[in-house]
Amino acid sequence: MASASLPAYNPSPLENSSSSQNASRESLKMEPLADVALLPGEERVIDKDLIYMCPFHGALKGKVFITNYRLYFRSTDMESTVTLDVPLGVIGRIEKMGGASSRGENSYGLDITCKDMRNLRFALKQEGHSRRDIFGELFKYAFPLSHGMPLFAFLSQEKFEENGWSVYNSIDEYRRQNLPSEQWRISFINESYELCDTYPVHLVVPYKATDEDLRRVATFRSRGRIPVLSWIHRENQAVITRCSQPLVGMSGKRNKDDERYLDIIREANGTPRLTIYDARPNVNAVANKGCVFCLLEWLLVIPTAVTEATGGGYEGDDAYQNADLVFLDIHNIHVMRESLKKLKDIVYPNVEEAHWLSSLESTHWLEHIKLVLSGAIQIADKVSSGSSVVVHCSDGWDRTAQLTSLAMLMLDSYYRTLRGFQVLLEKEWIGFGHKFTSRIGHGDKNHADQDRSPIFLQFVDCVWQMTKQFPTAFEFNERCLVTILDHLYSCRFGTFLYNCESVRDSNKVRSKTVSLWSLINSDKAAYVNPFYTSDCSRVLYPVASMRHLELWVNYYIRWNPRIRHQQSPVEQRYKELLALRDQYLKKLEELQLSDSTPSSARLTNSSTPNAPLPNQHLTHLQTPF
Amino acid sequence: MTMEFSEHIKTANVDDVVLKLPLRPALKGTLCVTAHHLVFSERKEEGSYQLLLLLRSVDAIEKRMTGLSGSSGTIVIKCKDLRILQFDIPGMEECLNVASSIEALSSLESVTELYPFFHRPRELSLSEPWGLSSPQQQYAQTERLWDRWRLSKVNRNFSVCMSYPRTVIVPCAIDDITLAKAASFRQGGRFPVLCYYHRSNGMVIMRSSQPMTGANRKRCREDELLLQAAIDESEMGYIIDTRSAQQAQQARMAGGGFESKAFYHHWRRLHRHLERGKVLQESLIKLVEACGDPSQNMDRWLSKLENSKWLSHVHSALSTAGLVAECVERDGHSVLVHGFEGTDTTLLVTSLAQLILDPASRTFRGFLQLLEREWVQAGHPFRQRCAHSAHSHARLRQECPAFLLLLDATWQLGRQFPLALEFSEVLLLRLAQDAYASDYGTFLCSSEQERCALQVKENTHCLFQFLLRREEREKYVNPLYEATDLAIWPSVHPQSLQLWTGLFLRWTEYAQTMDEAREEIWTIVKERKETDRPKGCAHTTLSRHDSFTNVENLMDELTVL
């Protein structure tokens, strides 16, 4: 019968791409860490010979180096060199695998779970407690906060051309939006975080509301997170305001101040009906449908609030007569965490290929993406039609941040620029207190913490979906998004550290750490989409149908060497050519000037940034770290 | 207009018809039925909308009476390009007349009555060449073929093989008499012929139909000689059979079969099961159903997509083609591809393998030449396969979207290698449309013989020639194209294959925004050209020519990019 001596079609000539086959024997004799540039402030902690149990290339002998910032592994195999370069901040959990007496080859060692969709396993020799020291050191440096040590961001001595901390200044951003205005003022009431300790210092509130009003409203909003303006439509003056849930409790309590305050927001641009978007699933639907997740959510919400003497809830029809309440059916942080866990199960280490699409469907990840996007679309649509909106969920720092920032990306082309996107993150996520520390668990060993959840990742995924649907509307590229996610975990920069501004202030983050935007803005060319069309200023409505969403393969399956990264060659080639063109044009101009007039003052003054050479791009385009 | 056409038209014009198109507000105007078109003109003074729909592109038509006591009617037209139109027509009689005209005129049986025989645009002349290249030209251009391969005119009267062109390329060592005998051993007379020569190592891809070994394991010395002559004594060739081993076994009961190892010593057979015929057609229907499902509740979309199995057919096509290419390029073996008739999956696999291997077939002209060689001249029965697409309620006969599958797989290649193809998705969409209904004669008929008998080349225009005209070509070029000599190995993992939304969700908003984006990218590229060129011209007086030519060259490359 048919001979099967010829292997099945192997579509992955790049399988070994991560291992540089042609690494010369010469270089292997060198001190393996010599070619890895340590970051300024980075120090070596411990080295160890061990075996990396690579899920793609099998067991690989090599050496691991732990510094106070990273875990670096290099195989000493002669045939191919595999390296791993993992910031310790990415590590979520370290466990000992096997015991001194366990049998089987390579059954004794360390099992590391990472926050960025991969796991790492190392095997060691069984005799002599060989893993004790490396486990101890790794555990200490991966979870410094659990050991009374500082995060690496506070030790880093990195210097950059650009200072990322100057990217965002709330007053400048409000000015850009033509604020303050006749209807809206900038309040300094939270200057020392007294009104709300999880809000930024500068708040934009209705001109007609006094500081006393704000204080009274704060008593009725969970954690004092009162409705404040975060974006205003230039033409129709409709606003996006954000807040936490009202504390109506089980008994349906009312608060006249809160009701009046929302009505002032409505009046500001003469909106006949204010629309309140509650990101959560409809409580009535919950009762009717008996949806387990929804029920859980509301059961969880109310008791937690009860412990603070008042219960949460939503704005009832009777109390808020000029407002319409819309539920957006987005599930809570626990649901999202489980969904991502399921996604990881089907993509790492091996992709569940037999029933790929139905497996993907069963994770519900894309369905959640769809709900978040379609919620944001509804908000953007309402605002561009001239109606002001209030957006909240329970506390107003997870789903609310997703919705407001996505709606703003749709409405305001400024946020689609490289800098504008940074401003958006600074404002809606960092400024308004998305709890990065709790959601990511920076430097904390407690991996099972129920507060952890991939809310920010989900948001970035939504942004990526938008960039896919509008390939020329965003100035930043996919690499920029991946870099942001990498440093969400890395703890190399201060940008995503801590839960809110007040804690950031007390830890002097701005003076003691470097901003992620310093890295990105010092090398902008690498993060820019060459097909960006700056005049695309209209409102962008992505299609949020399941049919139009795809899995972000280049992120979620990026550790699998079989996945080809598709976007980069286009961008790379295009950038190389543009850079070359700039060089030539400059040279031409020089030649022309030197031909006509000897003085070239104009040229030297118009200091166009030096176009980088193409081969520089090549080196830049390797995976970060 | 001939009598036959006018017989079908009882009501030629209806006023006050309302047209509903996807993603557009309803329009009111006049509907006119002609021999080959539906013409709708919006009644407005300025900028009025006109719709010109080729009746041949109607796949299915549904009519229902509406209004009080059925005083008016609605016609829903489902097109072969998956678009759905709705006409609300006042007057029951008019509605019924229009519907019956559409039904009759969209399914004309005689090829010479079809529109390509009447399409006479002013800018084209029938005396222009039809087709891009012939086997003679292919042979003449490939000098390295000459010492081992020859042109044979054994089929000059189409008497040896009805579905082959008049000339084919075969091993020098085999004379025409032997060929004719080998042909009698192959289904439909499709004896092994060369379709691709791999320059870097001299290996070839051949194709044929199945050998008619039958239940008694008949053999044919001439067929064995023919295959032996295609490779050296010392070499080993591979036969990629696009059926499962079981199917191949069963085929013997119906007179078909496979090359037994005992008689073809230097050939190894591998089976790669590709679905064909009805199964493929039903898969397409399921997919289009899922894509058109209007319900907002898309919970089960991915399951539905999976259940349609369309993407797994794309997967099989690409991975089998990958296997062929691997045999040729990596392992250095010649390959023969066949299934049953050798007119569908066989062509799918050989043409995809060429796209993977051959940079020439990835250029605009090269791709059209590939289609001409491997599909049009090689006798893919377009007439039967593309009689209906996914909407038709008619009983399935010989419909099969093999060509659509090729276009989809090509799209996947383009998606995975955005720089490698000189043509863009727009060309693939155009071909998908024209294969089913066209102004041009290229996809008419099922073989060269039929085309000759009906004088297609004398009486229709050639689509490929038309597309290559300067002003057309521009619409279909990939602005990012950069030629590469390397083989492009597609990833066939399920997570690497995507639904071709540009085709299957073409009539949605998404496709429109993607069109806009494509235009914007073009504009960026062009603007750069225009703003930079004048500068360049001003410098022509400059003495430093070297630097100037550098910029010039770069501009050209950027423009292509």
Side-chain angles (χ1 to χ4, degrees):
Chain A
M1 284 311 311
S3 147
S5 72
L6 199 79
Y9 167 52
N10 165 22
S12 321
L14 301 175
E15 181 134 6
N16 296 320
S17 63
S18 68
S19 57
S20 54
Q21 300 267 9
N22 43 9
S24 67
R25 276 154 194 257
E26 214 52 44
S27 70
L28 282 171
K29 282 181 201 149
M30 297 190 320
E31 171 70 319
L33 203 57
D35 57 341
V36 188
L38 294 187
L39 297 173
E42 185 177 355
E43 283 166 15
R44 283 167 75 164
V45 173
I46 186 173
D47 306 348
K48 197 94 188 169
D49 287 316
L50 40 59
I51 295 165
Y52 167 44
M53 310 293 289
C54 175
F56 311 109
H57 302 106
L60 298 165
K61 276 189 188 157
K63 194 160 194 165
V64 81
F65 303 83
I66 312 284
T67 72
N68 54 357
Y69 172 66
R70 78 182 92 201
L71 178 158
Y72 184 87
F73 169 84
R74 168 167 288 211
S75 68
T76 47
D77 213 314
M78 280 313 193
E79 274 164 34
S80 67
T81 307
V82 172
T83 58
L84 278 177
D85 195 352
V86 188
L88 299 181
V90 160
I91 294 175
R93 175 180 191 175
I94 310 170
E95 280 186 312
K96 291 176 182 162
M97 161 183 91
S101 58
S102 28
R103 291 173 187 205
E105 206 184 346
N106 300 332
S107 60
Y108 174 85
L110 300 177
D111 195 347
I112 297 173
T113 310
C114 295
K115 297 170 182 174
D116 62 353
M117 307 292 289
R118 59 178 158 169
N119 294 340
L120 306 171
R121 292 177 77 184
F122 295 106
L124 290 100
K125 286 193 207 97
Q126 243 152 321
E127 57 267 21
H129 304 290
S130 64
R131 71 180 166 199
R132 187 187 279 162
D133 50 352
I134 185 171
F135 177 81
E137 293 299 324
L138 194 57
F139 202 77
K140 201 162 80 184
Y141 283 93
F143 310 120
L145 294 187
S146 302
H147 295 88
M149 302 192 322
L151 293 166
F152 179 74
F154 289 91
L155 304 171
S156 168
Q157 302 293 320
E158 278 189 278
K159 299 274 182 292
F160 290 95
E161 271 171 47
E162 296 284 325
N163 176 9
W165 292 123
S166 64
V167 164
Y168 179 68
N169 170 309
S170 57
I171 302 283
D172 289 349
E173 165 59 12
Y174 290 130
R175 283 217 184 98
R176 187 191 68 85
Q177 296 188 29
N178 290 333
L179 296 167
S181 66
E182 280 183 17
Q183 300 293 336
W184 298 90
R185 67 187 178 92
I186 297 179
S187 164
F188 294 82
I189 187 174
N190 204 37
E191 195 95 62
S192 49
Y193 304 109
E194 273 166 0
L195 180 79
C196 172
D197 61 356
T198 58
Y199 261 6
V201 286
H202 301 132
L203 302 174
V204 178
V205 296
Y207 195 81
K208 284 188 187 158
T210 64
D211 281 359
E212 193 44 44
D213 292 336
L214 301 182
R215 280 190 198 95
R216 280 196 293 245
V217 173
T219 62
F220 191 62
R221 289 280 165 178
S222 176
R223 297 166 205 268
R225 294 172 68 92
I226 61 167
V228 294
L229 179 148
S230 75
W231 191 78
I232 185 162
H233 194 288
R234 234 165 242 272
E235 277 90 45
N236 64 33
Q237 299 289 303
V239 298
I240 298 177
T241 52
R242 55 180 293 171
C243 58
S244 60
Q245 63 180 341
L247 298 172
V248 294
M250 301 285 223
S251 54
K253 238 186 295 170
R254 291 180 56 168
N255 180 306
K256 287 278 173 215
D257 298 304
D258 192 72
E259 291 163 23
R260 198 173 73 88
Y261 183 73
L262 287 196
D263 214 43
I264 293 175
I265 292 176
R266 180 189 64 78
E267 278 172 9
N269 80 331
T271 303
R273 308 279 301 168
L274 181 71
T275 310
I276 301 170
Y277 288 99
D278 189 327
R280 298 167 294 185
N282 186 343
V283 68
N284 299 316
V286 172
N288 292 336
K289 285 186 194 159
C291 160
V292 181
F293 283 131
C294 316
L295 260 178
L296 254 177
E297 152 121 66
W298 284 95
L299 288 175
L300 283 171
V301 163
I302 297 168
T304 41
V306 164
T307 58
E308 294 174 30
T310 33
Y314 58 91
E315 296 82 354
D317 293 347
D318 300 343
Y320 299 83
Q321 291 194 344
N322 293 324
D324 300 315
L325 181 63
V326 177
F327 290 96
L328 295 177
D329 286 329
I330 302 169
H331 292 295
N332 61 26
I333 59 167
H334 310 291
V335 177
M336 302 312 174
R337 185 178 56 237
E338 293 313 309
S339 176
L340 185 69
K341 207 175 267 174
K342 281 188 198 153
L343 181 61
K344 185 172 175 180
D345 285 345
I346 67 161
V347 300
Y348 192 92
N350 297 309
V351 176
E352 171 64 52
E353 295 201 349
H355 295 283
W356 166 244
L357 292 174
S358 44
S359 309
L360 179 59
E361 184 171 86
S362 68
T363 69
H364 298 290
W365 182 254
L366 287 176
E367 213 177 307
H368 296 311
I369 298 281
K370 181 197 113 169
L371 284 169
V372 174
L373 269 175
S374 61
I377 291 169
Q378 289 179 56
I379 293 168
D381 185 48
K382 187 59 84 179
V383 171
S384 58
S385 75
S387 299
S388 290
V389 302
V390 175
V391 184
H392 72 73
C393 43
S394 302
D395 293 308
W397 50 46
D398 292 310
R399 285 167 281 196
T400 302
Q402 290 179 328
L403 290 166
T404 56
S405 49
L406 286 169
M408 287 176 217
L409 266 180
M410 293 169 197
L411 289 163
D412 190 340
S413 58
Y414 171 69
Y415 297 127
R416 296 176 219 142
T417 62
L418 184 60
R419 193 185 174 90
F421 189 60
Q422 296 166 8
V423 167
L424 183 71
L425 296 187
E426 288 280 352
K427 180 161 78 85
E428 290 303 303
W429 289 86
I430 298 164
F432 278 107
H434 172 67
K435 302 204 296 176
F436 283 104
T437 295
S438 310
R439 297 291 175 258
I440 308 301
H442 290 136
D444 175 24
K445 65 177 181 181
N446 186 7
H447 60 83
D449 189 344
Q450 291 296 302
D451 256 359
R452 293 195 185 176
S453 185
I455 299 301
F456 186 74
L457 166 64
Q458 193 175 47
F459 157 75
V460 175
D461 192 332
C462 291
V463 175
W464 179 81
Q465 303 282 352
M466 283 183 70
T467 64
K468 279 306 260 191
Q469 293 192 19
F470 301 98
T472 60
F474 293 83
E475 192 190 12
F476 50 87
N477 61 12
E478 183 179 56
R479 186 177 173 208
C480 178
L481 296 178
V482 172
T483 304
I484 288 172
L485 288 177
D486 282 339
H487 293 295
L488 172 66
Y489 308 116
S490 77
C491 296
R492 178 171 152 195
F493 300 100
T495 303
F496 297 122
L497 299 184
Y498 301 109
N499 281 340
C500 54
E501 293 289 33
S502 60
V503 182
R504 245 167 247 130
D505 277 3
S506 57
N507 284 286
K508 302 196 173 58
V509 168
R510 278 172 168 254
S511 56
K512 290 187 169 172
T513 73
V514 177
S515 162
L516 169 60
W517 315 133
S518 303
L519 172 86
I520 288 180
N521 295 342
S522 301
D523 184 21
K524 276 188 187 152
Y527 302 99
V528 163
N529 167 17
F531 304 116
Y532 171 59
T533 319
S534 54
D535 50 309
C536 179
S537 58
R538 65 195 163 87
V539 183
L540 298 185
Y541 294 113
V543 181
S545 142
M546 281 295 287
R547 287 190 278 235
H548 293 287
L549 300 180
E550 349 173 344
L551 184 73
W552 187 7
V553 169
N554 284 356
Y555 181 76
Y556 297 108
I557 320 187
R558 69 175 162 151
W559 305 121
N560 190 325
R562 288 181 183 174
I563 292 304
R564 177 172 292 121
H565 296 268
Q566 286 151 7
Q567 201 55 51
S568 51
V570 185
E571 288 189 8
Q572 185 182 333
R573 182 74 190 132
Y574 194 83
K575 276 185 202 160
E576 282 171 15
L577 290 175
L578 283 184
L580 264 178
R581 182 198 63 145
D582 288 348
Q583 278 188 335
Y584 280 128
L585 281 181
K586 212 178 142 192
K587 211 161 148 197
L588 253 181
E589 209 171 327
E590 280 171 5
L591 290 170
Q592 190 190 25
L593 284 171
S594 64
D595 270 10
S596 50
T597 48
S599 105
S600 55
R602 189 168 64 90
L603 189 75
T604 41
N605 282 347
S606 67
S607 57
T608 43
N610 246 345
L613 288 162
N615 53 357
Q616 280 178 335
H617 282 290
L618 274 169
T619 55
H620 285 316
L621 266 153
Q622 276 148 20
T623 11
F625 310 123
Chain B
M1 192 189 290
T2 61
M3 267 313 284
E4 302 105 85
F5 296 140
S6 55
E7 269 171 25
H8 293 304
I9 303 172
K10 290 180 195 112
T11 303
N13 282 293
V14 198
D15 289 328
D16 294 324
V17 172
V18 175
L19 166 63
K20 290 173 185 159
L21 284 168
L23 304 165
R24 270 180 159 275
L27 305 164
K28 198 167 196 175
T30 303
L31 181 66
C32 175
V33 186
T34 73
H36 294 109
H37 290 98
L38 267 190
V39 187
F40 174 89
S41 339
E42 195 189 1
R43 256 216 322 251
K44 233 169 51 180
E45 292 303 306
E46 279 166 43
S48 64
Y49 179 82
Q50 273 243 354
L51 174 89
L52 183 70
L53 183 74
L54 197 59
L55 283 167
R56 191 68 184 174
S57 69
V58 175
D59 202 27
I61 171 165
E62 290 160 16
K63 50 183 186 284
R64 57 173 186 267
M65 293 304 117
T66 48
L68 289 170
S69 62
S71 59
S72 61
T74 292
I75 297 178
V76 176
I77 294 177
K78 298 183 171 173
C79 300
K80 290 171 182 165
D81 64 4
L82 310 180
R83 184 160 45 153
I84 296 178
L85 319 167
Q86 180 181 327
F87 292 104
D88 295 343
I89 298 173
M92 186 170 72
E93 202 188 330
E94 283 81 355
C95 177
L96 289 174
N97 285 346
V98 168
S100 73
S101 299
I102 295 173
E103 272 164 14
L105 293 169
S106 64
S107 52
L108 296 172
E109 282 294 327
S110 160
V111 172
T112 51
E113 284 183 341
L114 297 180
Y115 185 62
F117 280 85
F118 300 86
H119 182 58
R120 297 288 177 267
R122 202 178 305 154
E123 71 272 20
L124 297 178
S125 150
L126 284 178
S127 59
E128 284 167 39
W130 203 100
L132 304 176
S133 127
S134 63
Q136 285 96 328
Q137 281 165 311
Q138 188 200 352
Y139 183 77
Q141 282 160 10
T142 320
E143 202 172 318
R144 291 177 57 187
L145 272 177
W146 299 350
D147 56 344
R148 177 148 205 171
W149 298 84
R150 69 181 184 95
L151 269 180
S152 166
K153 291 199 173 168
V154 66
N155 200 37
R156 68 179 81 74
N157 305 316
F158 304 111
S159 54
V160 173
C161 174
M162 296 265 281
S163 58
Y164 270 176
R166 292 180 197 271
T167 42
V168 289
I169 302 173
V170 294
C172 287
I174 303 299
D175 60 22
D176 283 357
I177 298 168
T178 315
L179 283 180
K181 285 191 178 150
S184 65
F185 185 61
R186 293 276 171 177
Q187 183 174 5
R190 295 175 70 91
F191 56 91
V193 295
L194 177 132
C195 67
Y196 172 68
Y197 178 83
H198 196 52
R199 279 162 206 273
S200 67
N201 59 11
M203 295 300 130
V204 299
I205 300 177
M206 295 193 291
R207 52 176 155 72
S208 68
S209 60
Q210 64 175 339
M212 305 303 279
T213 53
N216 302 326
R217 298 178 188 275
K218 255 190 303 190
R219 57 186 288 197
C220 170
R221 302 255 178 221
E222 290 79 5
D223 190 71
E224 291 161 24
L225 281 173
L226 170 53
L227 280 187
Q228 188 52 54
I231 52 176
D232 278 332
E233 280 295 318
S234 56
E235 283 174 0
M236 177 62 84
Y238 277 89
I239 296 170
I240 308 292
D241 192 324
T242 65
R243 306 166 292 181
S244 68
Q246 196 193 3
Q247 275 180 325
Q249 282 285 357
Q250 284 165 353
R252 288 172 43 222
M253 298 305 131
F258 50 89
E259 295 82 356
S260 133
K261 182 83 193 146
F263 307 139
Y264 298 84
H265 307 290
H266 290 269
W267 290 85
R268 272 193 188 163
R269 203 158 22 82
L270 295 178
H271 290 272
R272 287 293 179 274
H273 181 210
L274 265 67
E275 290 295 354
R276 62 199 73 232
K278 207 174 163 190
V279 178
L280 273 191
Q281 182 69 16
E282 277 165 357
S283 167
L284 175 70
I285 291 172
K286 267 193 192 170
L287 173 65
V288 170
E289 238 171 49
C291 291
D293 184 350
S295 71
Q296 288 301 303
N297 182 5
M298 289 306 298
D299 298 348
R300 309 283 298 153
W301 160 246
L302 291 174
S303 301
K304 281 183 193 162
L305 181 57
E306 185 173 281
N307 287 338
S308 81
K309 296 221 169 66
W310 181 260
L311 285 174
S312 72
H313 302 316
V314 175
H315 165 93
S316 316
L318 276 172
S319 60
T320 308
L323 176 67
V324 171
E326 200 175 31
C327 287
V328 172
E329 155 100 9
R330 291 200 187 146
D331 300 325
H333 297 293
S334 287
V335 177
L336 168 70
V337 182
H338 72 71
F340 289 101
E341 301 93 337
T343 53
D344 297 273
T345 51
T346 302
L347 307 181
L348 179 63
V349 169
T350 55
S351 43
L352 282 175
Q354 290 177 62
L355 271 174
I356 292 171
L357 290 172
D358 183 12
S361 69
R362 298 180 217 134
T363 64
F364 194 115
R365 174 180 281 271
F367 181 62
L368 295 181
Q369 280 175 339
L370 176 76
L371 296 183
E372 182 175 71
R373 210 167 57 231
E374 293 297 291
W375 292 81
V376 177
Q377 294 170 353
H380 174 65
F382 280 102
R383 207 176 143 197
Q384 287 83 26
R385 300 294 184 255
C386 300
H388 285 288
S389 88
H391 289 302
S392 171
H393 305 301
R395 200 170 56 85
L396 287 183
R397 286 182 293 185
Q398 292 188 52
E399 288 82 358
C400 169
F403 186 68
L404 213 53
L405 195 55
L406 168 85
L407 297 177
D408 193 327
T410 308
W411 177 82
Q412 307 280 352
L413 280 173
R415 191 179 161 276
Q416 294 190 16
F417 300 91
L419 308 175
L421 307 181
E422 194 189 9
F423 49 91
S424 72
E425 177 182 14
V426 187
L427 178 70
L428 300 175
L429 290 172
R430 172 80 199 242
L431 293 168
Q433 187 176 310
D434 277 59
Y436 283 87
S438 179
D439 294 348
Y440 298 87
T442 300
F443 296 120
L444 290 178
C445 303
S446 292
S447 64
E448 288 292 271
Q449 184 237 9
E450 222 180 302
R451 261 168 228 121
C452 289
L454 298 171
Q455 295 190 308
V456 169
K457 296 181 186 183
E458 290 76 17
N459 292 302
T460 72
H461 295 290
C462 170
L463 175 68
F464 296 159
Q465 287 286 359
F466 172 73
L467 293 175
L468 284 169
R469 288 164 67 94
R470 218 186 134 95
E471 55 280 20
E472 281 301 303
R473 186 189 148 87
E474 193 162 89
K475 299 181 201 161
Y476 304 106
V477 164
N478 170 15
L480 305 170
Y481 173 64
E482 186 198 347
T484 168
D485 286 337
L486 301 172
I488 51 173
W489 302 102
S491 163
V492 296
H493 301 288
Q495 69 276 12
S496 306
L497 301 177
Q498 290 284 339
L499 178 70
W500 183 8
T501 49
L503 177 72
F504 294 108
L505 302 173
R506 185 173 180 183
W507 307 105
T508 67
E509 204 161 349
Y510 180 74
Q512 289 179 346
T513 65
M514 288 311 277
D515 283 347
E516 284 165 24
R518 192 161 27 226
E519 265 168 41
E520 279 164 11
I521 291 179
W522 255 125
T523 322
I524 293 178
V525 171
K526 277 188 193 151
E527 264 174 12
R528 296 223 159 105
K529 185 184 176 188
E530 274 156 26
T531 53
D532 294 336
R533 266 277 151 71
K535 258 192 222 167
C537 293
H539 295 315
T540 40
T541 50
L542 260 166
S543 51
R544 319 274 166 80
H545 272 292
D546 52 335
S547 168
F548 171 68
T549 31
N550 274 336
V551 177
E552 274 291 277
N553 293 341
L554 193 70
M555 289 310 144
D556 287 343
E557 201 180 346
L558 267 174
T559 315
V560 180
L561 193 73

